[in-house]
Amino acid sequence: MKKVSFQGTSLTASQRQRLELQRRMRSSGVSPLQQQVDATVQALEVRKEKGVPAEKVWFLVREERGTPCVAELFGY
């Protein structure tokens, strides 16, 4: 059985920062993503109470019918 020892090894600065960030995230209990989602939902509720219509996220740029022509792709 092999015995492995990590005595004398050190973390790089970026590894220390990442480890510290992970520790803070675990201790805070609420993730930043969850905080952002909560803030968005709260903002939507405020807009709904004020009667502001929802933002249009998707919209039609143009509508075409018929058979597509490949020649138009190449400028003919």
Side-chain angles (χ1 to χ4, degrees):
M1 185 169 170
K2 281 188 174 182
K3 211 174 188 186
V4 180
S5 174
F6 291 104
Q7 290 179 338
T9 59
S10 61
L11 299 175
T12 64
S14 63
Q15 289 173 330
R16 280 194 299 274
Q17 289 173 349
R18 190 178 317 121
L19 186 60
E20 181 60 33
L21 178 64
Q22 288 173 353
R23 285 181 184 155
R24 278 189 277 143
M25 296 298 251
R26 287 187 193 126
S27 66
S28 68
V30 180
S31 70
L33 180 60
Q34 185 62 45
Q35 291 173 349
Q36 187 176 8
V37 168
D38 292 341
T40 303
V41 169
Q42 186 179 19
L44 288 173
E45 290 297 325
V46 168
R47 286 180 64 132
K48 191 185 295 183
E49 289 172 3
K50 290 181 180 179
V52 177
E55 233 178 273
K56 276 186 103 175
V57 178
W58 302 102
F59 55 92
L60 183 65
V61 175
R62 69 179 186 207
E63 185 176 349
E64 295 182 5
R65 295 188 182 269
T67 307
C69 179
V70 179
E72 291 176 0
L73 266 171
F74 299 105
Y76 292 104

